[in-house]
Amino acid sequence: MNYIAHIRESDKCIQSVEEHLLGVKELAESYGEPLGIKHITGLAGMLHDLGKYTQEFKEYILEAVNNPEAPPKRGSVDHSTAGGKLLYELYHVKNITPYKAIVAEIVGNAIISHHSYLQDFLNPNLESNYLNRVRDKELNEFNRSIECFYKYVMSESEFAGYVNKAADELGTFLAKESQENNEKQLMFLTKYIYSSLIDADRTNTRLFEENGFNEEFIHQPDLFHTYYDRLMNKMNEFKLHKQANTPINLLRASMSDQCERFAEKPSGIYTLSIPTGGGKTLASLRYALKHAILHNKKRIIYIVPFTTIIEQNAEEVRKILKDDANILEHHSNMIDDENDNDELQDGMVTVQQKLKLAKDNWDSPIIFTTMVQFLNVFYAKGSRNSRRLHNLSESVIIFDEVQKVPIPCVTLFNQALNFLKIYAHSSMVLCTATQPALDFVEHKLEVNTDAEMIHSLDNVIDAFKRVEIIDQATEETFTNEKLADFVVNKIEEINSVLVILNTKLVVKNLYHLLKEQQLDIPIYHLSTSMCAAHRKQMLDEIRNHLDKGNKIICISTQLIEAGVDVSFDCVIRSLAGLDSIAQAAGRCNRHGEKDIQYVYVIDHEEENLDRLKEIKIGKQIAKRLLIDLKKNSRSHGGNILSVQAMERYFREYYTEFESDLNYSIPMLGKDMIELLTASKSNSGFYSSYKAKEQMALPLFLVHSYKTAAEHFHVIKNVTTSVIVPFEEGKEIIADLNGNHSIKDLTRLLQKAQQYTINLYHYELDQLGKNDGLVSYLDGKIIALKEGGYDKEFGLNLKNDSQYGFTMF
């Protein structure tokens, strides 16, 4: 009897269960190889669809394909429990040996969860979602499934030997750290196995559906050699420039050379503290390419704090490397799959399945993405996020402006990087002019000894001094009216003024005030309410004015200060953390083209920071340091942006937030660290379970993966990505109405990254009431109607924009 895994939409060709299981096993093994766990990941691959070896599933899939208008009743077949149940019954019921039992738990959890998300071994209701499936659930044709597996996939004796190898791999894996870290190791191992299984399953299914088992293979070493040669050609062009021998350019070249030499060092966690304007992007790329070549890394990943600078950095790298096809920008997830359970559609090709199978796994040689997306890979709900985790192994990962790690996520960030360093053979570079004290906190980052790539940092910082910080924050406070007058006075003296404020509301109000004065000067407004393509267009216009020396005013939120390459004559920064002040200063006289220019730090009394605690606390600490300097000009190194001042700032900052660093979940009275890494000896849930049931839970692990993921959001106010009708965005929205192949959807979704914005729930609700939204692809993708987008401000909640697409 030919049991069916999938039926191809185009020609109704059948993929047998054994073809699928062996194909997924082979892919999963290749994903596990870098960590030395190929038999553990392979075990998940070969067992994940064991439940398709049933007459029940065969009838179900044939009925679904033959009668798409009237498919079988939902919930009629469960095919993802069988593999986990087999492991539980073989290795967790009698004659238990710890390593095999733990393999059964972590692999079994990945298997039963591969159409949804990892289950809790023990949840807040003191129940085990895992045991409810693998121990308690009855499966009608379970014995038939096992019999077919041993007959068609792997014999019983071979299988036992394979599990022995998986148990040996687990022992070797756990031996890399002390026993006290076992729970944390097992948490990351489980997530890695889950990622490997999800990607192997979806990749094999996509290749079958596209009838394309011979995908184009990219040989990274050759590609990285080509990239390196192109980069060095560009560096050599710089040396021929007429200003190549100025002190600043010679220093840039020296720092770039230091990065290349540093690439010879083994994998680890390092820091790159090049000051603003020091050529950080190219220097870090030079390190990354050289390190990838010398140490056989598979990809280079840039992690930036905001979507704002993805397109800028990616464009700069594309121009030098002369390659569009292999450089991926990933701004946000446009598809919400957090609560999906698509098991009942597996085998059929629906819109939801096509979206799931679309290539979205970060397997490009060079990737640009955000801190939000990076943290989501490890901790957020939704298989789309988790699918990417295994591709972070054997990589060079550059964290641009790393000081922007959100406070609640500091411990989670540190632990993720430590895992990638110790187990995944990846190298991480913390790249910023203002290094945070991530090795100062309780769960510290394991930064390598002698981690800094650049020598004599104090001298370098002095050499790059281009601005003077003028402290007005300790003298007086400003309203928008007063600030508008200040800006008008400044623009009479100089050509360009940038104002950076802490909230979108005061930015918008100041913009209106200045526009009302009819200054006959271009005035620009920037905020995250604009899509990336729109911001890029605005920034191109701004740079054009700056290059020509035209009079110009720009009012922006903090999005402009994280690496955006602009250079104004004067910057006015509303008081915030020292790192923000330093980044704002980097937008003034950026390339040292003029004598020392001025950055004015003001205290804006109209900003409501009650919901922006990190900015509020940063502002308070920065103000204390400014007062210290006012009293004694030699304190903190005599400069508010000195290395000493920055170290003092971050230590006070993290001390202030000490109780928040582990991602607290108040409604549970716990934090993420406990949910993800608690052992039986220190789990509050487990002690309550024992007291209630008067017995021990028959498991080695008590982690609460699903509960933790349900409560995790990098940005506490959850947002939803929507596509906007700006320029090409309108064409993308129109294309969503068509019937697309998986390949077309992959291309369309990647293209749409530049045309999305993230909306809070209240914004979605308001747009819904004003008829400003439209949904596509069974409600999986949301777009704005034309009235919901404006040429000045981007998002228009009233949906009454008069500008429309044709005005751009």
Side-chain angles (χ1 to χ4, degrees):
M1 183 180 292
N2 191 13
Y3 290 98
I4 302 169
H6 301 102
I7 299 176
R8 188 154 51 224
E9 182 182 39
S10 61
D11 59 6
K12 300 298 183 281
C13 178
I14 287 173
Q15 182 187 41
S16 69
V17 176
E18 53 266 32
E19 286 171 341
H20 181 55
L21 293 184
L22 290 170
V24 174
K25 167 183 170 286
E26 184 178 355
L27 274 174
E29 284 179 339
S30 72
Y31 300 158
E33 189 86 55
L35 272 67
I37 55 167
K38 76 172 197 177
H39 291 92
I40 305 179
T41 51
L43 192 61
M46 75 168 90
L47 287 176
H48 78 287
D49 274 356
L50 177 65
K52 289 185 177 180
Y53 272 128
T54 62
Q55 186 64 25
E56 189 178 28
F57 183 81
K58 182 175 182 179
E59 291 172 0
Y60 171 83
I61 191 171
L62 288 171
E63 178 69 17
V65 170
N66 293 331
N67 297 290
E69 303 304 318
K73 181 183 175 185
R74 283 176 170 268
S76 55
V77 179
D78 169 354
H79 68 268
S80 65
T81 298
K85 193 174 184 71
L86 173 62
L87 288 172
Y88 179 81
E89 293 194 353
L90 285 176
Y91 303 107
H92 222 297
V93 176
K94 54 186 177 182
N95 300 322
I96 296 174
T97 57
Y99 282 171
K100 288 183 185 177
I102 292 171
V103 165
E105 289 180 21
I106 58 180
V107 174
N109 199 339
I111 289 170
I112 65 173
S113 308
H114 78 273
H115 284 292
S116 51
Y117 188 74
L118 286 166
Q119 299 299 304
D120 289 339
F121 288 113
L122 187 61
N123 67 27
N125 296 324
L126 309 183
E127 299 167 340
S128 174
N129 307 44
Y130 167 78
L131 283 177
N132 290 346
R133 292 279 295 279
V134 302
R135 181 189 65 186
D136 303 335
K137 191 168 187 178
E138 295 293 330
L139 300 177
N140 294 335
E141 300 179 70
F142 184 52
N143 291 332
R144 180 202 293 264
S145 299
I146 298 170
E147 185 182 319
C148 289
F149 175 81
Y150 288 146
K151 183 175 181 180
Y152 298 116
V153 180
M154 186 175 282
S155 71
E156 193 167 354
S157 61
E158 287 177 316
F159 182 73
Y162 197 93
V163 173
N164 286 338
K165 289 178 181 176
D168 290 343
E169 288 173 349
L170 176 63
T172 303
F173 183 88
L174 293 177
K176 289 188 177 182
E177 289 192 75
S178 62
Q179 192 172 352
E180 65 188 32
N181 287 322
N182 277 2
E183 300 300 329
K184 182 180 68 179
Q185 293 171 279
L186 290 168
M187 178 269 288
F188 281 117
L189 178 63
T190 304
K191 287 175 177 277
Y192 191 96
I193 292 162
Y194 177 63
S195 170
S196 300
L197 174 57
I198 294 290
D199 195 26
D201 181 25
R202 293 184 182 180
T203 298
N204 177 269
T205 303
R206 175 178 59 80
L207 291 173
F208 170 74
E209 183 58 36
E210 293 179 341
N211 200 13
F213 284 97
N214 296 314
E215 263 195 320
E216 183 182 351
F217 176 71
I218 298 170
H219 192 248
Q220 267 96 342
D222 290 346
L223 189 65
F224 287 153
H225 273 289
T226 301
Y227 286 167
Y228 177 79
D229 290 342
R230 289 173 182 169
L231 174 62
M232 293 314 294
N233 287 339
K234 176 58 73 174
M235 303 295 288
N236 289 331
E237 284 178 24
F238 290 152
K239 290 179 181 177
L240 299 175
H241 195 276
K242 61 183 179 182
Q243 293 187 324
N245 292 320
T246 63
I248 286 292
N249 283 330
L250 287 172
L251 186 52
R252 284 185 181 123
S254 169
M255 290 189 290
S256 177
D257 291 342
Q258 289 176 56
C259 287
E260 164 130 0
R261 291 193 293 273
F262 206 91
E264 296 175 8
K265 290 200 173 190
S267 299
I269 300 175
Y270 301 108
T271 60
L272 176 58
S273 305
I274 290 179
T276 303
K280 185 172 52 179
T281 301
L282 295 190
S284 62
L285 180 62
R286 187 173 173 186
Y287 163 84
L289 287 170
K290 189 70 171 182
H291 189 74
I293 291 166
L294 292 174
H295 299 279
N296 301 312
K297 303 304 181 190
K298 292 178 180 173
R299 58 191 55 82
I300 295 166
I301 305 171
Y302 278 86
I303 313 291
V304 302
F306 310 117
T307 57
T308 331
I309 56 175
I310 286 183
E311 59 271 14
Q312 173 190 291
N313 288 1
E315 183 178 21
E316 185 178 0
V317 169
R318 277 196 188 95
K319 283 179 181 175
I320 292 169
L321 303 185
K322 301 184 173 100
D323 187 359
D324 287 334
N326 295 307
I327 300 175
L328 172 71
E329 290 180 47
H330 184 244
H331 296 242
S332 58
N333 285 344
M334 284 168 290
I335 302 163
D336 178 10
D337 69 345
E338 280 193 14
N339 298 307
D340 281 359
N341 185 336
D342 61 1
E343 177 167 3
L344 307 174
Q345 299 175 33
D346 195 21
M348 304 169 275
V349 181
T350 61
V351 168
Q352 185 173 329
Q353 286 297 94
K354 284 182 180 180
L355 287 170
K356 182 189 81 171
L357 297 176
K359 201 170 181 182
D360 192 10
N361 58 352
W362 287 5
D363 68 345
S364 299
I366 295 186
I367 299 163
F368 287 85
T369 191
T370 66
M371 180 63 72
V372 170
Q373 297 306 321
F374 174 79
L375 290 166
N376 279 349
V377 164
F378 285 94
Y379 303 111
K381 201 176 173 191
S383 57
R384 186 175 301 277
N385 292 312
S386 302
R387 179 181 179 182
R388 303 169 184 134
L389 192 156
H390 72 92
N391 275 329
L392 296 175
S393 66
E394 297 182 312
S395 297
V396 184
I397 310 176
I398 297 164
F399 294 89
D400 199 4
E401 311 300 353
V402 71
Q403 76 281 359
K404 296 294 185 185
V405 177
I407 280 293
C409 301
V410 164
T411 293
L412 298 175
F413 175 80
N414 286 353
Q415 293 197 341
L417 265 64
N418 291 342
F419 165 76
L420 291 172
K421 170 189 172 179
I422 296 167
Y423 297 96
H425 312 293
S426 291
S427 285
M428 277 67 62
V429 180
L430 311 182
C431 203
T432 178
T434 55
Q435 290 289 346
L438 293 173
D439 56 347
F440 168 73
V441 297
E442 179 190 0
H443 298 278
K444 69 177 186 176
L445 187 65
E446 300 294 342
V447 179
N448 284 50
T449 307
D450 298 323
E452 178 55 50
M453 295 188 187
I454 304 302
H455 307 313
S456 307
L457 264 184
D458 282 334
N459 294 337
V460 171
I461 291 168
D462 287 343
F464 270 88
K465 184 174 180 180
R466 300 173 304 279
V467 301
E468 195 74 53
I469 306 295
I470 307 299
D471 167 24
Q472 295 199 263
T474 57
E475 298 283 344
E476 56 186 333
T477 61
F478 277 70
T479 62
N480 262 346
E481 291 276 358
K482 187 174 178 179
L483 182 53
D485 291 341
F486 189 72
V487 171
V488 170
N489 289 333
K490 285 294 164 193
I491 203 66
E492 289 176 359
E493 302 168 7
I494 54 180
N495 284 342
S496 57
V497 176
L498 169 64
V499 184
I500 305 174
L501 305 176
N502 289 319
T503 67
K504 284 197 269 191
L505 182 60
V506 291
V507 165
K508 200 169 183 178
N509 289 343
L510 179 62
Y511 174 80
H512 281 305
L513 274 174
L514 288 167
K515 289 287 277 188
E516 286 168 6
Q517 300 208 24
Q518 299 182 331
L519 298 172
D520 198 27
I521 293 172
I523 302 174
Y524 287 88
H525 163 279
L526 289 172
S527 85
T528 50
S529 294
M530 301 167 173
C531 70
H534 191 176
R535 288 196 305 265
K536 180 180 182 301
Q537 186 183 91
M538 300 284 267
L539 284 166
D540 285 345
E541 288 183 28
I542 290 167
R543 289 190 190 102
N544 187 42
H545 284 298
L546 292 171
D547 290 344
K548 291 179 178 178
N550 296 341
K551 292 270 187 182
I552 178 178
I553 298 170
C554 179
I555 321 294
S556 178
T557 58
Q558 63 178 332
L559 69 84
I560 199 168
E561 62 193 19
V564 177
D565 188 7
V566 288
S567 182
F568 286 79
D569 293 340
C570 167
V571 171
I572 300 164
R573 182 54 165 103
S574 182
L575 185 58
L578 278 202
D579 56 322
S580 293
I581 295 170
Q583 294 302 322
R587 305 321 115 195
C588 183
N589 198 21
R590 183 173 174 81
H591 305 294
E593 57 267 40
K594 298 186 177 181
D595 293 333
I596 295 293
Q597 301 294 301
Y598 298 107
V599 174
Y600 296 89
V601 178
I602 66 162
D603 189 352
H604 200 302
E605 65 183 58
E606 294 175 356
E607 292 177 338
N608 182 356
L609 302 180
D610 290 344
R611 295 187 178 182
L612 299 170
K613 186 179 176 184
E614 293 178 28
I615 295 177
K616 190 174 185 176
I617 297 295
K619 174 179 176 175
Q620 291 169 358
I621 298 170
K623 193 165 190 174
R624 289 203 295 266
L625 297 179
L626 285 169
I627 291 170
D628 288 347
L629 267 169
K630 196 169 186 178
K631 291 177 180 175
N632 179 359
S633 61
R634 289 179 294 179
S635 62
H636 310 305
N639 178 358
I640 193 63
L641 300 184
S642 69
V643 173
Q644 299 96 309
M646 208 60 70
E647 285 179 358
R648 172 73 177 273
Y649 168 78
F650 277 113
R651 282 174 179 260
E652 288 195 21
Y653 186 66
Y654 288 137
T655 300
E656 192 79 35
F657 283 102
E658 193 170 6
S659 61
D660 299 328
L661 298 175
N662 296 341
Y663 201 100
S664 175
I665 305 170
M667 66 183 297
L668 295 179
K670 301 189 181 302
D671 60 43
M672 285 278 286
I673 300 304
E674 180 178 347
L675 292 179
L676 291 172
T677 64
S679 65
K680 285 185 174 182
S681 63
N682 62 15
S683 165
F685 289 164
Y686 183 65
S687 57
S688 299
Y689 174 90
K690 277 178 64 178
K692 177 188 171 191
E693 301 293 338
Q694 295 296 300
M695 61 180 287
L697 184 73
L699 293 174
F700 283 86
L701 304 180
V702 292
H703 304 158
S704 306
Y705 298 127
K706 186 177 181 182
T707 298
E710 285 172 344
H711 287 89
F712 178 76
H713 302 287
V714 179
I715 301 166
K716 283 297 181 90
N717 295 316
V718 187
T719 58
T720 300
S721 292
V722 300
I723 305 176
V724 303
F726 175 78
E727 296 193 343
E728 276 192 81
K730 188 172 183 183
E731 297 169 26
I732 292 167
I733 292 168
D735 281 350
L736 291 172
N737 276 320
N739 182 22
H740 298 286
S741 67
I742 296 167
K743 192 172 184 178
D744 288 341
L745 274 174
T746 299
R747 177 190 55 77
L748 198 61
L749 293 177
Q750 288 180 355
K751 192 176 176 184
Q753 289 287 328
Q754 294 262 345
Y755 300 92
T756 62
I757 59 174
N758 295 317
L759 302 184
Y760 296 110
H761 285 319
Y762 79 88
E763 293 173 321
L764 284 172
D765 290 344
Q766 197 167 334
L767 280 165
K769 288 173 185 173
N770 294 330
D771 193 31
L773 298 172
V774 61
S775 63
Y776 296 92
L777 301 177
D778 291 352
K780 285 292 174 184
I781 293 181
I782 303 173
L784 287 183
K785 291 185 176 178
E786 285 191 37
Y789 202 77
D790 182 281
K791 77 169 185 179
E792 279 189 294
F793 303 109
L795 174 66
N796 181 337
L797 291 174
K798 293 180 180 177
N799 189 34
D800 62 357
S801 171
Q802 300 301 306
Y803 299 105
F805 172 73
T806 55
M807 291 295 292
F808 292 111

